[in-house]
Amino acid sequence: MIAFGLGIASRNSALDIIETFFPLPAVNPGEDFARELSALCGLEPGNSGYRTLDAEGLESFHAAASQAFEHEQERTAARLRDSDGPVLLCISRSQSPPTSVPEAFLKLHLLSHRLARPHEQNLDGIFSVLHNLAWTSRGPVSLQDLPGMQLQARKKGETLSVHSVDKFPKMSDYVVPSGVRLADSARIRLGAYIGEGTTVMHEGFINFNAGTEGQAMIEGRISAGVMVGENSDLGGSSSTMGTLSGGGTEIVSVGRNCLIGANAGIGMPLADGCIVEAGLYLTAGAVVRELDAEGNLVRTCKALELSGLAHRLFRRNSLTGAIECLPRKAHVALNEELHAHN
C-alpha cells in the first residue's frame, strides 16, 4: 500500500521536526500521480520520504491533485497555502518501517482515519523515531523548550497547560472518526482504529495499532496490536495483553459477539461468541478443563489450544478453583439505541 499526505509540521527551537498533522491523508494513488508525488519529494519511485514544499512546490501539488482526485486534495493544498508552519509532502509504503517523524505520524493518521487496519503497516522502530514531547494547550512542545515557554506564558499572565508527556498524542487532537462516542478522549492514542458505532467509556483505553471492527462497548483496555470484533463488549477494568513488552509474540484478538467481564482479561486470541467470566484473567498458558454441554470432562489443556473454539464460556469453578471452558448457546447482544451515534 502506498500512502501520502500533505501536512503541517511543528518544529523545536533547533528547527527539528517534532510532529506533523495530516488533515486528509490518502492511500493508493494512481501510478501517474504516484510518480508525480515521488518527483515532488525528490524520491526514486518506490521509496518513502518527505520534503518541505515551498509556494512553487505546493502549487505543483495542487495542479497534480486537481487531475488525479475529485476535489479533496486540491482543497487541502489551497487551505495550507498560508500556513504559519512548514508544509510538507510525505510518502509512505506500508511494508517499510518509518524512518522520520513525518512518516511515523502519517502511518498513525492512516490508522485513525480507517485507511489502514492494525497490522497492515510496518511500524517497527516507531518509538525510536518519535520524540518524547509535552502535549500542551498550545500544541506539541519539545521538553527542552518547555521551561522557556512556560515562563513566557506566565509573564503574560497566562498558563501553559501540559496535558501529557509522551511520544504519542491523543487521537482526537488529530482525527475524530465518524460514528463514535469517546467519554475521555485523553485515553485514546493517535493510531487507534475505532470502528463505526464504537462507544469508549471513561475508563476505556485504546492504544495505537489497535482498536475495534465496528459497533462495540469498550470499558476496558485494548493494548497495542489487539483488534476487537464487532458487537463485542469489554467490561469495566478488563484488559487485553499486548506484545510491546515482556517478550510476548502471540497476537491477541477478540472475536465478534464476545464479552470480557469486569476485571477480566485475556492473553490469547478469543474466537467469536465467547465469554470470559468477570475477574478471570485467561493467559495463553493457563491450564483449562474443557467440558462438554453436559459438564463432562473432554480434556485438560492450555488455554491457547482452545483459542479457535467459538461460543464458549470461560469460568473459574468457585469450589475447586479450576478454570473451565464449556459450550454456550446464547449470544452477546449490544444495546442498539446506545450505539446509534447519530
Side-chain angles (χ1 to χ4, degrees):
M1 180 178 70
I2 305 172
F4 73 93
L6 197 65
I8 304 174
S10 298
R11 290 175 170 166
N12 60 17
S13 57
L15 300 183
D16 301 317
I17 293 177
I18 58 173
E19 171 265 6
T20 311
F21 170 59
F22 295 99
L24 193 66
V27 296
N28 296 327
E31 291 185 11
D32 291 342
F33 189 43
R35 281 193 293 269
E36 292 188 65
L37 292 175
S38 295
L40 277 172
C41 284
L43 299 171
E44 292 293 327
N47 291 341
S48 300
Y50 74 94
R51 170 172 282 185
T52 301
L53 299 183
D54 56 16
E56 183 179 347
L58 196 55
E59 193 59 42
S60 297
F61 176 89
H62 185 281
S66 65
Q67 300 295 320
F69 287 84
E70 290 293 326
H71 296 293
E72 295 89 345
Q73 295 296 332
E74 56 178 313
R75 278 203 299 266
T76 300
R79 290 169 179 168
L80 297 184
R81 188 174 290 118
D82 299 322
S83 171
D84 290 335
V87 176
L88 56 83
L89 173 64
C90 184
I91 300 175
S92 174
R93 309 277 168 163
S94 59
Q95 73 274 16
S96 302
T99 58
S100 65
V101 168
E103 189 180 358
F105 270 87
L106 178 56
K107 285 178 177 284
L108 294 175
H109 276 73
L110 294 175
L111 285 158
S112 293
H113 276 280
R114 301 177 186 148
L115 295 173
R117 292 168 55 86
H119 303 292
E120 282 187 348
Q121 303 179 98
N122 187 339
L123 299 179
D124 293 347
I126 194 169
F127 280 92
S128 62
V129 171
L130 296 174
H131 296 275
N132 196 29
L133 302 173
W135 302 95
T136 78
S137 51
R138 294 187 183 177
V141 176
S142 167
L143 295 180
Q144 290 75 20
D145 297 338
L146 182 61
M149 291 189 65
Q150 289 175 316
L151 178 59
Q152 289 300 317
R154 292 284 180 169
K155 289 168 65 175
K156 297 177 181 178
E158 302 171 353
T159 301
L160 180 66
S161 180
V162 178
H163 306 308
S164 68
V165 178
D166 196 2
K167 292 195 172 189
F168 293 79
K170 66 179 181 180
M171 182 192 72
S172 58
D173 283 348
Y174 295 78
V175 184
V176 178
S178 61
V180 301
R181 287 173 56 205
L182 312 174
D184 185 352
S185 61
R187 297 179 63 86
I188 303 168
R189 275 174 151 180
L190 179 64
Y193 182 109
I194 305 182
E196 185 95 19
T198 290
T199 296
V200 185
M201 295 303 291
H202 296 78
E203 292 303 314
F205 171 84
I206 304 179
N207 212 332
F208 78 100
N209 202 32
T212 61
E213 295 271 3
Q215 192 175 80
M217 169 60 80
I218 307 301
E219 298 181 87
R221 175 186 176 87
I222 304 179
S223 297
V226 177
M227 197 67 174
V228 175
E230 194 170 6
N231 296 317
S232 287
D233 187 334
L234 269 61
S237 298
S238 64
S239 65
T240 54
M241 194 180 294
T243 58
L244 287 180
S245 59
T249 57
E250 186 71 39
I251 295 177
V252 175
S253 61
V254 178
R256 298 185 176 192
N257 304 303
C258 289
L259 170 63
I260 300 179
N263 297 305
I266 57 170
M268 51 170 265
L270 202 63
D272 293 347
C274 288
I275 291 179
V276 178
E277 179 186 69
L280 173 62
Y281 208 110
L282 191 65
T283 60
V287 176
V288 180
R289 288 166 51 87
E290 183 185 2
L291 309 178
D292 62 19
E294 285 71 42
N296 300 311
L297 180 65
V298 176
R299 59 172 170 162
T300 299
C301 61
K302 291 184 178 181
L304 184 60
E305 297 178 47
L306 304 172
S307 62
L309 299 181
H311 308 293
R312 293 297 193 273
L313 167 64
F314 292 89
R315 69 185 185 190
R316 188 177 296 279
N317 189 303
S318 60
L319 296 177
T320 66
I323 301 174
E324 298 175 340
C325 170
L326 58 155
R328 53 179 301 273
K329 295 181 180 180
H331 291 277
V332 174
L334 297 178
N335 186 318
E336 292 291 336
E337 182 178 354
L338 183 65
H339 295 277
H341 305 327
N342 299 325

